[in-house]
Coordinates of all heavy atoms in Angstrom, one line a residue:
Q1 N 0.8 -1.2 0.0 CA 0.0 0.0 0.0 C 0.8 1.3 0.0 O 0.4 2.3 -0.5 CB -0.9 0.0 1.2 CG -2.0 -1.0 1.2 CD -2.9 -0.8 2.5 OE1 -2.4 -1.2 3.6 NE2 -4.1 -0.5 2.3
V2 N 2.0 1.2 0.6 CA 2.9 2.4 0.7 C 3.2 3.0 -0.6 O 3.2 4.2 -0.8 CB 4.2 2.0 1.5 CG1 5.2 3.1 1.4 CG2 3.9 1.7 2.9
E3 N 3.5 2.2 -1.6 CA 3.9 2.7 -2.9 C 2.8 3.5 -3.6 O 3.0 4.6 -4.1 CB 4.4 1.6 -3.8 CG 5.7 0.9 -3.3 CD 6.2 -0.3 -4.1 OE1 5.8 -0.4 -5.3 OE2 7.0 -1.0 -3.6
G4 N 1.5 2.9 -3.5 CA 0.4 3.6 -4.1 C 0.0 4.8 -3.3 O -0.4 5.8 -3.9
L5 N 0.1 4.8 -2.0 CA -0.4 5.9 -1.2 C 0.6 7.0 -1.2 O 0.2 8.2 -1.3 CB -0.6 5.5 0.2 CG -1.8 4.7 0.5 CD1 -1.7 4.1 2.0 CD2 -3.1 5.5 0.3
L6 N 1.9 6.7 -1.0 CA 2.9 7.7 -0.8 C 3.9 8.0 -1.9 O 4.6 8.9 -1.9 CB 3.7 7.4 0.5 CG 2.9 7.2 1.7 CD1 3.8 6.8 2.9 CD2 2.1 8.4 2.1
G7 N 3.8 7.1 -2.9 CA 4.8 7.3 -4.0 C 6.2 6.9 -3.7 O 7.1 7.5 -4.3
L8 N 6.3 6.1 -2.7 CA 7.6 5.6 -2.2 C 7.7 4.1 -2.1 O 6.7 3.4 -1.9 CB 7.9 6.1 -0.7 CG 7.8 7.6 -0.5 CD1 7.7 8.0 1.0 CD2 9.1 8.3 -1.1
A9 N 8.9 3.6 -2.4 CA 9.1 2.2 -2.4 C 8.9 1.7 -1.0 O 9.4 2.3 0.0 CB 10.4 1.8 -3.0
A10 N 8.3 0.5 -0.8 CA 8.1 0.0 0.6 C 9.4 -0.3 1.2 O 9.6 0.0 2.4 CB 7.2 -1.3 0.5
A11 N 10.4 -0.8 0.5 CA 11.7 -1.1 1.1 C 12.3 0.2 1.6 O 13.0 0.2 2.6 CB 12.5 -1.8 0.0
A12 N 12.1 1.3 0.9 CA 12.7 2.5 1.3 C 12.1 3.0 2.6 O 12.8 3.5 3.5 CB 12.6 3.6 0.2
V13 N 10.8 2.9 2.7 CA 10.1 3.3 4.0 C 10.6 2.4 5.2 O 10.9 2.9 6.2 CB 8.6 3.3 3.8 CG1 7.9 3.6 5.2 CG2 8.2 4.4 2.8
L14 N 10.6 1.1 4.9 CA 11.0 0.3 5.9 C 12.5 0.4 6.4 O 12.9 0.2 7.5 CB 10.8 -1.2 5.5 CG 9.4 -1.6 5.3 CD1 9.3 -3.1 4.7 CD2 8.6 -1.6 6.7
A15 N 13.3 0.9 5.5 CA 14.7 1.2 5.8 C 14.9 2.5 6.5 O 15.9 2.7 7.1 CB 15.5 1.2 4.5
E16 N 13.9 3.3 6.5 CA 14.0 4.6 7.3 C 14.1 4.3 8.7 O 13.4 3.4 9.2 CB 12.9 5.5 7.0 CG 12.9 6.0 5.5 CD 11.7 6.9 5.2 OE1 10.8 7.2 6.1 OE2 11.5 7.3 4.0
P17 N 14.9 5.0 9.5 CA 15.0 4.8 10.9 C 13.7 4.7 11.7 O 13.5 3.9 12.6 CB 15.9 5.9 11.5 CG 16.6 6.5 10.3 CD 15.7 6.2 9.1
D18 N 12.8 5.6 11.4 CA 11.5 5.7 12.1 C 10.4 5.0 11.3 O 9.3 5.0 11.8 CB 11.1 7.1 12.3 CG 12.1 7.8 13.3 OD1 12.7 7.1 14.2 OD2 12.3 9.0 13.2
G19 N 10.6 4.4 10.1 CA 9.7 3.7 9.4 C 8.4 4.5 9.2 O 8.4 5.7 8.9
W20 N 7.2 3.8 9.5 CA 5.9 4.4 9.4 C 5.8 5.7 10.2 O 5.3 6.7 9.8 CB 4.9 3.3 9.8 CG 3.5 3.8 10.1 CD1 2.6 4.1 9.1 CD2 2.9 4.2 11.3 NE1 1.4 4.5 9.7 CE2 1.6 4.6 11.1 CE3 3.4 4.2 12.6 CZ2 0.7 5.0 12.1 CZ3 2.5 4.6 13.6 CH2 1.2 5.0 13.4
E21 N 6.3 5.6 11.5 CA 6.1 6.8 12.4 C 6.9 8.1 11.7 O 6.4 9.2 11.9 CB 6.6 6.5 13.7 CG 5.7 5.6 14.5 CD 6.1 5.3 15.9 OE1 7.3 5.7 16.3 OE2 5.4 4.7 16.7
G22 N 8.0 7.8 11.1 CA 8.6 8.9 10.4 C 7.9 9.6 9.3 O 8.3 10.7 8.9
R23 N 6.9 8.9 8.8 CA 6.1 9.4 7.7 C 4.8 10.1 8.1 O 4.1 10.6 7.4 CB 5.7 8.3 6.7 CG 6.9 7.8 5.9 CD 7.0 8.7 4.7 NE 8.4 8.7 4.4 CZ 9.0 9.7 3.6 NH1 8.3 10.7 3.1 NH2 10.2 9.7 3.2
L24 N 4.6 10.1 9.4 CA 3.4 10.8 10.0 C 3.6 12.3 9.9 O 4.7 12.8 10.1 CB 3.2 10.4 11.4 CG 2.8 9.0 11.8 CD1 2.8 8.7 13.2 CD2 1.5 8.7 11.1
H25 N 2.6 13.1 9.5 CA 2.6 14.5 9.5 C 3.0 15.0 10.9 O 2.4 14.5 11.9 CB 1.3 15.1 9.1 CG 1.3 16.4 8.8 ND1 1.3 17.5 9.7 CD2 1.3 17.2 7.6 CE1 1.3 18.6 9.2 NE2 1.3 18.5 7.9
P26 N 3.9 16.0 11.0 CA 4.3 16.5 12.3 C 3.1 16.9 13.3 O 3.2 16.7 14.4 CB 5.2 17.7 12.0 CG 5.7 17.5 10.7 CD 4.6 16.7 9.9
E27 N 2.1 17.4 12.6 CA 0.9 17.9 13.5 C 0.1 16.7 14.0 O -0.7 16.9 14.9 CB 0.1 18.8 12.7 CG 0.8 20.2 12.4 CD -0.1 21.1 11.6 OE1 -1.3 20.9 11.5 OE2 0.5 22.1 11.0
D28 N 0.2 15.5 13.4 CA -0.6 14.4 13.8 C 0.1 13.3 14.4 O -0.4 12.4 15.1 CB -1.3 13.8 12.4 CG -2.2 14.7 11.7 OD1 -2.7 15.7 12.4 OD2 -2.4 14.5 10.6
G29 N 1.5 13.3 14.3 CA 2.3 12.2 14.8 C 2.1 11.8 16.2 O 1.9 10.7 16.6
Q30 N 2.1 12.9 17.2 CA 2.0 12.5 18.6 C 0.6 12.0 18.9 O 0.6 11.0 19.7 CB 2.3 13.8 19.4 CG 2.4 13.6 20.8 CD 2.9 14.9 21.6 OE1 2.6 15.9 21.1 NE2 3.6 14.7 22.6
R31 N -0.4 12.5 18.3 CA -1.8 12.0 18.5 C -1.9 10.5 18.1 O -2.4 9.7 18.8 CB -2.8 12.9 17.8 CG -4.2 12.3 17.9 CD -5.2 13.3 17.1 NE -4.9 13.4 15.7 CZ -5.2 12.5 14.7 NH1 -5.9 11.5 15.0 NH2 -4.9 12.8 13.4
V32 N -1.4 10.3 16.9 CA -1.6 8.9 16.4 C -0.7 7.9 17.1 O -1.2 6.8 17.4 CB -1.2 8.9 14.8 CG1 -1.2 7.5 14.3 CG2 -2.2 9.8 14.0
A33 N 0.5 8.3 17.4 CA 1.4 7.4 18.2 C 0.8 7.2 19.5 O 0.8 6.0 20.0 CB 2.8 8.0 18.3
G34 N 0.2 8.1 20.2 CA -0.5 7.9 21.4 C -1.7 7.0 21.4 O -1.9 6.1 22.3
E35 N -2.4 7.1 20.3 CA -3.6 6.2 20.1 C -3.2 4.8 19.8 O -3.8 3.9 20.3 CB -4.4 6.7 18.9 CG -5.7 6.0 18.7 CD -6.7 6.1 19.8 OE1 -6.5 6.9 20.8 OE2 -7.7 5.3 19.8
V36 N -2.1 4.6 19.1 CA -1.5 3.2 18.8 C -1.1 2.7 20.2 O -1.4 1.5 20.5 CB -0.4 3.2 17.8 CG1 0.4 2.0 17.8 CG2 -0.9 3.6 16.4
A37 N -0.4 3.4 21.0 CA 0.0 2.9 22.3 C -1.1 2.6 23.2 O -1.1 1.5 23.9 CB 0.9 4.0 23.0
R38 N -2.1 3.4 23.2 CA -3.3 3.1 24.0 C -4.0 1.8 23.5 O -4.3 0.9 24.4 CB -4.4 4.2 23.9 CG -5.6 4.1 24.8 CD -6.6 5.1 24.5 NE -7.2 5.0 23.2 CZ -8.2 4.1 22.9 NH1 -8.5 3.2 23.9 NH2 -8.7 3.9 21.8
C39 N -4.2 1.6 22.3 CA -4.8 0.4 21.7 C -3.9 -0.8 21.9 O -4.4 -1.9 22.2 CB -5.0 0.6 20.2 SG -6.4 1.7 19.8
R40 N -2.5 -0.6 21.9 CA -1.6 -1.8 22.1 C -1.8 -2.3 23.5 O -1.8 -3.5 23.8 CB -0.2 -1.3 21.9 CG 0.8 -2.5 22.2 CD 2.2 -2.0 22.0 NE 2.5 -1.6 20.6 CZ 3.0 -0.4 20.2 NH1 3.4 0.4 21.2 NH2 3.3 -0.2 19.0
G41 N -2.1 -1.4 24.5 CA -2.2 -1.8 25.9 C -3.4 -2.7 26.1 O -3.3 -3.6 26.9
S42 N -4.5 -2.6 25.4 CA -5.7 -3.4 25.5 C -5.9 -4.3 24.3 O -6.9 -5.1 24.3 CB -6.9 -2.4 25.6 OG -7.0 -1.6 24.4
L43 N -5.0 -4.2 23.3 CA -5.1 -5.0 22.1 C -6.4 -4.7 21.4 O -7.0 -5.6 20.6 CB -4.9 -6.5 22.3 CG -3.5 -6.9 22.9 CD1 -3.5 -8.4 23.0 CD2 -2.5 -6.4 21.8
E44 N -7.1 -3.6 21.6 CA -8.3 -3.3 20.9 C -7.9 -2.7 19.5 O -6.9 -2.3 19.2 CB -9.1 -2.2 21.6 CG -8.5 -0.8 21.7 CD -9.4 0.1 22.6 OE1 -9.2 0.1 23.8 OE2 -10.0 0.9 22.0
P45 N -8.9 -2.8 18.5 CA -8.6 -2.4 17.2 C -8.2 -0.9 17.1 O -8.6 -0.1 18.0 CB -10.0 -2.6 16.5 CG -10.7 -3.6 17.3 CD -10.3 -3.4 18.7
F46 N -7.5 -0.5 16.1 CA -7.0 0.9 16.0 C -7.6 1.3 14.7 O -7.6 0.8 13.6 CB -5.4 0.8 15.8 CG -4.9 2.2 15.3 CD1 -4.7 3.2 16.2 CD2 -4.5 2.3 14.0 CE1 -4.3 4.4 15.8 CE2 -4.0 3.5 13.5 CZ -3.9 4.5 14.4
T47 N -8.3 2.5 14.9 CA -8.8 3.2 13.7 C -8.6 4.7 13.9 O -8.8 5.3 15.0 CB -10.4 3.1 13.7 OG1 -10.7 1.6 13.6 CG2 -11.0 3.7 12.4
A48 N -8.1 5.4 12.9 CA -7.8 6.8 12.9 C -7.7 7.4 11.6 O -7.4 6.7 10.5 CB -6.4 7.0 13.7
E49 N -7.9 8.7 11.5 CA -7.6 9.5 10.3 C -6.6 10.4 10.5 O -6.6 11.1 11.6 CB -8.9 10.2 9.9 CG -10.0 9.3 9.4 CD -11.3 10.0 8.9 OE1 -11.3 11.3 8.8 OE2 -12.2 9.3 8.5
Y50 N -5.6 10.5 9.6 CA -4.4 11.3 9.9 C -3.7 11.6 8.5 O -4.0 11.0 7.5 CB -3.4 10.7 10.9 CG -3.0 9.3 10.6 CD1 -1.9 9.1 9.9 CD2 -3.7 8.2 11.0 CE1 -1.4 7.8 9.5 CE2 -3.3 6.9 10.7 CZ -2.2 6.8 10.0 OH -1.7 5.5 9.7
R51 N -2.7 12.4 8.6 CA -1.9 12.8 7.4 C -0.5 12.1 7.5 O 0.0 12.0 8.6 CB -1.6 14.3 7.3 CG -3.0 15.0 7.1 CD -2.8 16.5 7.3 NE -2.7 16.7 8.8 CZ -2.5 17.9 9.3 NH1 -2.4 19.0 8.6 NH2 -2.4 18.0 10.6
M52 N -0.1 11.7 6.2 CA 1.2 11.1 6.1 C 2.0 12.0 5.1 O 1.3 12.7 4.3 CB 1.2 9.6 5.7 CG 0.5 8.7 6.7 SD 0.7 7.0 6.3 CE 2.4 6.7 6.7
L53 N 3.3 11.9 5.1 CA 4.1 12.6 4.2 C 4.6 11.7 3.1 O 5.2 10.7 3.4 CB 5.3 13.3 4.9 CG 4.9 14.3 6.0 CD1 6.1 14.8 6.7 CD2 4.1 15.4 5.3
G54 N 4.2 12.0 1.9 CA 4.6 11.1 0.7 C 5.9 11.7 0.1 O 6.6 12.6 0.6
A55 N 6.1 11.2 -1.2 CA 7.2 11.6 -1.9 C 7.3 13.1 -2.1 O 6.2 13.7 -2.4 CB 7.3 10.9 -3.3
G56 N 8.4 13.7 -1.9 CA 8.5 15.2 -2.1 C 7.8 16.0 -1.0 O 7.5 17.2 -1.2
G57 N 7.4 15.4 0.1 CA 6.7 16.1 1.2 C 5.2 16.2 1.0 O 4.6 16.9 1.7
R58 N 4.7 15.5 -0.1 CA 3.3 15.6 -0.4 C 2.4 15.1 0.8 O 2.7 14.1 1.4 CB 3.0 14.8 -1.6 CG 1.5 14.8 -2.1 CD 1.4 14.0 -3.4 NE 1.8 12.6 -3.3 CZ 1.1 11.5 -3.1 NH1 -0.2 11.7 -2.9 NH2 1.6 10.3 -3.0
E59 N 1.4 15.9 1.2 CA 0.5 15.5 2.3 C -0.6 14.6 1.8 O -1.3 14.9 0.8 CB -0.1 16.8 2.8 CG -0.9 16.6 4.1 CD -1.4 17.9 4.6 OE1 -0.6 18.7 5.1 OE2 -2.6 18.3 4.4
V60 N -0.7 13.4 2.4 CA -1.7 12.4 2.1 C -2.6 12.1 3.3 O -2.1 11.7 4.3 CB -1.1 11.1 1.6 CG1 -2.1 10.1 1.2 CG2 -0.1 11.4 0.4
W61 N -3.9 12.4 3.2 CA -4.8 12.1 4.3 C -5.1 10.6 4.2 O -5.4 10.1 3.0 CB -6.1 12.8 4.2 CG -6.1 14.1 4.9 CD1 -5.8 15.4 4.3 CD2 -6.3 14.3 6.2 NE1 -5.9 16.4 5.3 CE2 -6.1 15.8 6.5 CE3 -6.5 13.6 7.4 CZ2 -6.3 16.4 7.8 CZ3 -6.7 14.1 8.6 CH2 -6.5 15.5 8.8
V62 N -5.1 9.8 5.3 CA -5.4 8.4 5.2 C -6.5 8.0 6.4 O -6.5 8.7 7.4 CB -4.2 7.6 5.4 CG1 -3.2 7.8 4.3 CG2 -3.5 7.7 6.7
R63 N -7.1 7.0 6.1 CA -7.9 6.3 7.2 C -7.3 5.0 7.4 O -7.1 4.2 6.5 CB -9.4 6.1 6.8 CG -10.2 5.4 7.9 CD -11.7 5.3 7.5 NE -12.4 4.9 8.6 CZ -12.5 3.6 9.1 NH1 -11.8 2.7 8.5 NH2 -13.3 3.4 10.1
D64 N -6.9 4.7 8.6 CA -6.2 3.5 9.0 C -7.1 2.7 9.9 O -7.6 3.2 11.0 CB -4.9 3.9 9.8 CG -3.9 2.8 10.0 OD1 -4.3 1.6 9.9 OD2 -2.8 3.1 10.3
A65 N -7.4 1.4 9.5 CA -8.2 0.6 10.3 C -7.4 -0.8 10.4 O -7.1 -1.4 9.5 CB -9.5 0.3 9.6
A66 N -7.1 -1.2 11.6 CA -6.2 -2.3 11.9 C -6.6 -3.1 13.1 O -7.1 -2.5 14.1 CB -4.7 -1.9 11.8
R67 N -6.2 -4.3 13.2 CA -6.4 -5.1 14.4 C -5.0 -5.7 14.8 O -4.1 -5.8 13.9 CB -7.3 -6.3 14.1 CG -8.7 -5.9 13.8 CD -9.6 -7.2 13.8 NE -11.0 -6.8 13.9 CZ -11.7 -6.5 15.0 NH1 -11.1 -6.6 16.1 NH2 -12.9 -6.2 14.9
W68 N -4.8 -6.1 16.0 CA -3.6 -6.7 16.5 C -3.6 -8.1 16.2 O -4.5 -8.8 16.3 CB -3.5 -6.4 18.0 CG -3.3 -5.0 18.3 CD1 -4.4 -4.1 18.7 CD2 -2.2 -4.2 18.3 NE1 -3.8 -2.9 18.9 CE2 -2.5 -2.9 18.6 CE3 -0.8 -4.5 17.9 CZ2 -1.6 -1.9 18.7 CZ3 0.1 -3.4 18.0 CH2 -0.3 -2.2 18.4
G69 N -2.4 -8.6 15.8 CA -2.2 -10.0 15.6 C -0.8 -10.4 16.0 O 0.1 -9.5 16.0
E70 N -0.5 -11.5 16.3 CA 0.8 -12.0 16.7 C 1.7 -12.0 15.5 O 1.3 -12.5 14.5 CB 0.7 -13.4 17.3 CG 0.3 -13.4 18.8 CD 0.5 -14.7 19.5 OE1 1.7 -15.0 19.9 OE2 -0.4 -15.5 19.6
G71 N 2.9 -11.5 15.7 CA 3.9 -11.5 14.6 C 4.7 -12.8 14.7 O 4.4 -13.8 15.4
E72 N 5.8 -12.8 14.1 CA 6.7 -14.0 14.2 C 7.3 -14.0 15.6 O 7.0 -13.2 16.4 CB 7.9 -13.8 13.1 CG 7.4 -13.8 11.7 CD 6.7 -15.1 11.3 OE1 7.1 -16.2 11.7 OE2 5.6 -15.0 10.6
E73 N 8.2 -15.0 15.8 CA 8.7 -15.2 17.1 C 9.2 -14.0 17.9 O 8.8 -13.8 19.0 CB 9.9 -16.2 17.0 CG 9.5 -17.6 16.6 CD 10.6 -18.6 16.4 OE1 11.7 -18.3 17.0 OE2 10.5 -19.6 15.7
D74 N 10.0 -13.1 17.3 CA 10.6 -12.0 18.0 C 9.9 -10.7 17.7 O 10.3 -9.6 18.1 CB 12.1 -11.9 17.7 CG 12.3 -11.7 16.2 OD1 11.4 -12.0 15.3 OD2 13.4 -11.3 15.8
E75 N 8.7 -10.8 17.0 CA 8.1 -9.5 16.6 C 7.0 -9.0 17.6 O 6.6 -7.8 17.6 CB 7.4 -9.6 15.2 CG 8.4 -9.8 14.1 CD 7.7 -10.0 12.7 OE1 6.7 -10.8 12.7 OE2 8.1 -9.3 11.8
G76 N 6.5 -9.9 18.4 CA 5.5 -9.5 19.4 C 4.1 -9.2 18.6 O 3.9 -9.9 17.6
W77 N 3.3 -8.3 19.1 CA 2.0 -8.1 18.5 C 2.2 -7.0 17.4 O 2.9 -6.0 17.6 CB 1.1 -7.6 19.6 CG 0.6 -8.7 20.5 CD1 1.2 -9.1 21.6 CD2 -0.4 -9.6 20.3 NE1 0.6 -10.2 22.1 CE2 -0.5 -10.5 21.3 CE3 -1.4 -9.7 19.2 CZ2 -1.4 -11.5 21.5 CZ3 -2.3 -10.7 19.3 CH2 -2.4 -11.6 20.5
L78 N 1.6 -7.2 16.2 CA 1.6 -6.2 15.2 C 0.3 -5.8 14.7 O -0.7 -6.6 14.8 CB 2.3 -6.9 13.9 CG 3.7 -7.5 14.2 CD1 4.1 -8.3 12.9 CD2 4.7 -6.3 14.4
L79 N 0.2 -4.6 14.2 CA -1.1 -4.1 13.6 C -1.2 -4.7 12.2 O -0.2 -4.5 11.4 CB -1.1 -2.6 13.6 CG -1.6 -1.9 14.9 CD1 -1.4 -0.4 14.8 CD2 -3.0 -2.2 15.2
R80 N -2.3 -5.2 11.8 CA -2.5 -5.6 10.4 C -3.9 -5.1 10.0 O -4.9 -5.3 10.7 CB -2.6 -7.1 10.4 CG -1.2 -7.7 10.7 CD -1.2 -9.1 10.4 NE 0.2 -9.6 10.6 CZ 0.6 -10.6 11.4 NH1 -0.4 -11.4 11.9 NH2 1.8 -11.0 11.5
G81 N -3.8 -4.4 8.9 CA -5.1 -3.8 8.4 C -5.0 -3.1 7.1 O -4.1 -3.5 6.3
F82 N -5.8 -2.0 6.9 CA -5.8 -1.3 5.7 C -5.7 0.1 5.9 O -6.2 0.7 6.9 CB -7.1 -1.6 4.9 CG -7.3 -3.0 4.5 CD1 -8.0 -3.9 5.2 CD2 -6.7 -3.4 3.3 CE1 -8.2 -5.2 4.9 CE2 -6.9 -4.7 2.9 CZ -7.6 -5.6 3.7
I83 N -4.9 0.8 5.1 CA -4.7 2.2 5.1 C -5.3 2.7 3.7 O -4.9 2.3 2.7 CB -3.4 2.7 5.2 CG1 -2.8 2.3 6.5 CG2 -3.2 4.2 5.2 CD1 -1.3 2.6 6.8
T84 N -6.3 3.6 3.7 CA -7.0 4.1 2.6 C -6.8 5.6 2.4 O -6.8 6.3 3.4 CB -8.5 3.8 2.7 OG1 -8.7 2.5 3.1 CG2 -9.3 4.2 1.4
D85 N -6.5 6.0 1.2 CA -6.3 7.4 0.9 C -7.7 8.1 0.9 O -8.6 7.8 0.2 CB -5.6 7.6 -0.5 CG -5.4 9.0 -0.9 OD1 -5.9 9.9 -0.3 OD2 -4.5 9.2 -1.8
I86 N -7.8 9.1 1.8 CA -9.1 9.8 1.9 C -8.9 11.3 1.5 O -9.6 12.2 2.0 CB -9.7 9.7 3.3 CG1 -8.8 10.2 4.4 CG2 -10.2 8.2 3.4 CD1 -9.5 10.3 5.7
S87 N -7.7 11.6 0.8 CA -7.4 13.0 0.6 C -8.4 13.7 -0.2 O -8.7 14.9 0.1 CB -6.1 13.0 -0.3 OG -5.0 12.4 0.4
D88 N -9.1 13.1 -1.3 CA -10.1 13.7 -2.0 C -11.3 14.1 -1.0 O -11.8 15.2 -1.1 CB -10.6 12.9 -3.1 CG -9.6 12.7 -4.3 OD1 -8.7 13.6 -4.3 OD2 -9.8 11.8 -5.0
R89 N -11.7 13.2 -0.2 CA -12.8 13.5 0.7 C -12.5 14.7 1.6 O -13.3 15.5 1.9 CB -13.1 12.3 1.6 CG -14.3 12.4 2.4 CD -14.5 11.4 3.5 NE -13.9 11.9 4.7 CZ -13.5 11.1 5.7 NH1 -13.6 9.8 5.6 NH2 -13.0 11.7 6.8
K90 N -11.3 14.7 2.2 CA -10.8 15.8 3.0 C -10.8 17.1 2.3 O -11.2 18.2 2.9 CB -9.4 15.5 3.7 CG -9.5 14.4 4.7 CD -10.3 14.8 5.9 CE -10.1 13.9 7.1 NZ -10.8 14.4 8.3
R91 N -10.4 17.1 1.0 CA -10.4 18.4 0.2 C -11.9 18.9 0.1 O -12.2 20.1 0.2 CB -9.8 18.2 -1.1 CG -8.3 18.3 -1.1 CD -7.6 18.3 -2.5 NE -7.6 17.0 -3.1 CZ -6.7 16.1 -2.9 NH1 -5.7 16.3 -2.0 NH2 -6.7 14.9 -3.5
V92 N -12.8 18.0 -0.2 CA -14.2 18.4 -0.4 C -14.8 18.9 0.9 O -15.5 19.9 0.9 CB -15.0 17.2 -1.0 CG1 -16.5 17.4 -0.9 CG2 -14.6 16.8 -2.3
E93 N -14.5 18.2 2.0 CA -15.0 18.6 3.3 C -14.4 20.0 3.6 O -15.2 20.9 4.1 CB -14.5 17.7 4.4 CG -15.3 16.3 4.4 CD -14.7 15.3 5.4 OE1 -13.6 15.6 6.1 OE2 -15.3 14.3 5.6
A94 N -13.2 20.3 3.3 CA -12.6 21.6 3.6 C -13.3 22.7 2.7 O -13.6 23.8 3.2 CB -11.1 21.5 3.3
A95 N -13.6 22.3 1.5 CA -14.2 23.3 0.6 C -15.7 23.6 1.0 O -16.1 24.8 0.9 CB -14.3 22.7 -0.9
L96 N -16.3 22.6 1.6 CA -17.7 22.8 2.0 C -17.8 23.6 3.3 O -18.8 24.3 3.6 CB -18.4 21.4 2.2 CG -18.7 20.7 1.0 CD1 -19.2 19.3 1.3 CD2 -19.7 21.4 0.1
E97 N -16.7 23.6 4.1 CA -16.6 24.4 5.3 C -16.5 25.9 5.0 O -16.9 26.7 5.6 CB -15.5 23.9 6.2 CG -15.7 22.6 6.9 CD -14.6 22.1 7.7 OE1 -13.6 22.9 7.9 OE2 -14.6 21.0 8.2

């Protein structure tokens, strides 16, 4: 999904020191990371709308819906789900406001 959403190769994002968190928009990062941590504590599903930074710093609004699942032996619990581009919807909402 990363390539289609952000215009970046998945391997490049995974190779970044902060990975997914490093691609969160600075204004949304702390809120989203806090919500992930809260959900991790109870293993409840994670759902949020936030911005990510794509190729060239392009802002992409996404809806993230995921559940926790066990990873491989040393991975612990991982979020698995879908991230959907909602940028067009956010532009229309902003225009209507």
